[in-house]
Amino acid sequence: MMGCATRENKTMTLRRFCKGLNDDLRREVVFQGASTLDQTCTLVQNYKLIMKNQRMNCQDPYSIPTRS
């Protein structure tokens, strides 16, 4: 197997990664000032975890509240 000895600049890798994020995540990365790929990955993982937990804690908007 042949390998490629080409190395990508860390800044370019971070830019390519961010290009693949949705707009909300990209804004959050910029807002938080993440400057490395490790920081960005951690931020994205945490953001997704928070969003998942918020969705799980939301009530069904179509449910009818009952009185006790």
Side-chain angles (χ1 to χ4, degrees):
M1 181 189 295
M2 278 180 72
C4 181
T6 303
R7 288 273 187 195
E8 184 175 61
N9 178 318
K10 289 181 181 183
T11 303
M12 291 304 295
T13 303
L14 181 58
R15 286 182 185 166
R16 280 191 319 105
F17 180 81
C18 288
K19 271 184 135 179
L21 298 174
N22 67 35
D23 291 340
D24 291 337
L25 283 171
R26 198 174 312 124
R27 271 190 232 104
E28 192 65 26
V29 167
V30 171
F31 180 72
Q32 295 292 332
S35 59
T36 67
L37 187 56
D38 285 340
Q39 289 174 343
T40 303
C41 288
T42 300
L43 189 115
V44 168
Q45 288 172 338
N46 291 341
Y47 185 85
K48 285 184 173 185
L49 183 64
I50 289 168
M51 298 314 296
K52 179 182 176 184
N53 287 339
Q54 284 181 351
R55 282 191 301 268
M56 289 176 63
N57 291 333
C58 288
Q59 287 185 337
D60 181 5
Y62 300 105
S63 66
I64 300 171
T66 58
R67 291 188 177 175
S68 305

